[in-house]
Amino acid sequence: MTETAAKPPARAAIADFLEMLAAERGAARNTLDAYARDLGDYVLALARRGREPLTATIQDIRDYLSSLAEAGLKPSSSARKLSAIRQFHRFLAAEERRADDPAVLLEGPRQGRRLPKILSIAEVDAILRVCREGLDDPARPAEERLRARRAACLVEVLYASGLRVSELVALPLAAAKQAEKAPERGGGFLTIKGKGGRERLAPLTAAAREAMAAYRTALLELHPAAAAQKWLFPSDGESGHLTRQVFARELKFLAAAAGVKPERVSPHVLRHAFASHLLQNGADLRIVQELLGHADIATTQIYTHVLDERLKAMVRDLHPLNDDEA
């Protein structure tokens, strides 16, 4: 850990900052680990210059960012590190551990507009068709049919709801039971606890609910003890549920079978496809923000290129001056 080389006051300040993130913002373990790494690197760089966070100047931070650029770090990675540094110094100033905030006026590295990788509707349909093939084939071994139903359930639910892959693989069994109920009986959606402990509803399509019910029936027929499990997708691993990595591998296999290049497909790409296809079909950006669980509309605005294309199409198709008969 890079923090070991930092002076004790710096280590203590980072520990207090991380404790604040966990307690007040509900930051996940992965988020805390990332902040710890980024701030540990920053503090170590300051120590090499005989500085530490309580005495660092804006020039010290600029020099550190310049060193990252010279080392070939991507602008996106530098921007992430700067975000951690800004929040850390804001915390130090708010806690009155120093009188000023040297990072407040810093600008992040310029980044090109990154468009999310997406799949076409036809490509998603092709993957879903492969998922649905041979699910009831008696010639297939029972465990193989169960894995196929699990994969179909995962893909159907992911594309229907736009869940984060971490939310998907860790779905509790209770949430699935609620979702399988008919909408008029209070079902038809998942209750998701996302980042920062924020809850949201994720509506499901009829196909997703049917895939979930069929998978759960097959699971209980083959492994009755699964009824006492906490998770919808139980596993013998440390977490007790299916891992993101296993699902990602299965999804790439399905993509290859559907004629879609596996390197173009991941659980996160399917989440992007969910959002982009909704917007293409007229959904409001604010609704998509809510469905994705984004705290800030700015995060959802990576999809504005879809809205741009929709507006162009509307002008092309609806503007009177574009009428061939005019």
Side-chain angles (χ1 to χ4, degrees):
M1 188 77 175
T2 52
E3 289 179 41
T4 56
K7 296 177 181 180
R11 289 204 305 271
I14 291 175
D16 291 344
F17 172 66
L18 296 177
E19 184 178 346
M20 179 276 293
L21 289 180
E24 297 183 14
R25 303 186 193 175
R29 182 73 259 168
N30 288 345
T31 300
L32 296 175
D33 290 344
Y35 274 110
R37 285 192 299 271
D38 288 342
L39 293 175
D41 291 341
Y42 167 60
V43 168
L44 182 59
L46 288 178
R48 293 194 185 107
R49 301 165 62 94
R51 314 284 285 186
E52 51 93 25
L54 298 183
T55 60
T57 66
I58 188 171
Q59 191 57 49
D60 290 325
I61 303 175
R62 282 176 176 151
D63 290 344
Y64 173 62
L65 295 174
S66 296
S67 71
L68 296 178
E70 291 168 4
L73 198 68
K74 292 180 180 178
S76 58
S77 297
S78 293
R80 188 198 70 233
K81 288 180 180 292
L82 176 57
S83 175
I85 292 168
R86 277 179 174 150
Q87 293 183 64
F88 181 48
H89 277 291
R90 190 182 307 136
F91 167 78
L92 294 178
E95 292 286 305
E96 298 183 350
R97 300 193 188 194
R98 60 177 295 166
D100 63 335
D101 179 354
V104 70
L105 297 178
L106 278 174
E107 292 186 3
R110 293 187 177 276
Q111 302 181 59
R113 186 184 184 189
R114 293 182 60 194
L115 300 180
K117 297 178 182 178
I118 61 169
L119 300 171
S120 69
I121 294 175
E123 287 172 325
V124 174
D125 281 343
I127 293 173
L128 288 171
R129 279 197 302 273
V130 169
C131 288
R132 296 163 184 159
E133 289 175 356
L135 293 178
D136 297 311
D137 184 355
R140 299 177 75 177
E143 285 289 353
E144 184 180 318
R145 289 203 306 273
L146 177 59
R147 285 196 299 273
R149 285 214 174 274
R150 184 182 71 181
C153 177
L154 285 160
V155 176
E156 292 275 12
V157 171
L158 177 54
Y159 184 56
S161 63
L163 297 183
R164 298 178 179 92
V165 65
S166 57
E167 297 168 341
L168 176 67
V169 298
L171 277 174
L173 188 58
K177 291 178 180 178
Q178 175 67 29
E180 288 169 23
K181 294 180 181 179
E184 59 270 19
R185 294 177 54 210
F189 60 84
L190 293 165
T191 302
I192 303 299
K193 182 172 285 189
K195 289 186 176 180
R198 293 184 296 272
E199 282 196 352
R200 71 183 191 279
L201 296 181
L204 293 177
T205 60
R209 296 199 306 274
E210 290 168 8
M212 187 183 293
Y215 157 69
R216 203 159 66 82
T217 299
L219 174 66
L220 295 179
E221 285 178 354
L222 203 56
H223 302 287
Q229 290 273 358
K230 177 181 178 181
W231 310 110
L232 175 60
F233 304 108
S235 168
D236 294 330
E238 183 180 348
S239 66
H241 58 70
L242 183 73
T243 65
R244 295 174 297 170
Q245 293 81 1
V246 169
F247 174 44
R249 287 197 299 270
E250 290 182 356
L251 184 56
K252 288 184 181 296
F253 176 81
L254 291 168
V260 181
K261 291 182 178 179
E263 60 269 23
R264 295 183 54 232
V265 181
S266 72
H268 203 61
V269 168
L270 263 189
R271 175 170 155 90
H272 284 319
F274 160 83
S276 296
H277 296 168
L278 282 178
L279 289 168
Q280 285 173 11
N281 286 307
D284 182 85
L285 192 65
R286 290 278 182 187
I287 299 298
V288 174
Q289 175 196 357
E290 182 68 24
L291 292 173
L292 291 174
H294 289 162
D296 191 337
I297 190 68
T299 309
T300 320
Q301 284 174 338
I302 60 171
Y303 299 105
T304 52
H305 70 288
V306 176
L307 297 178
D308 292 344
E309 291 303 316
R310 203 172 80 198
L311 288 172
K312 289 177 186 175
M314 287 177 64
V315 171
R316 182 189 66 237
D317 298 338
L318 302 178
H319 197 287
L321 294 183
N322 283 335
D323 189 340
D324 291 337
E325 297 179 1

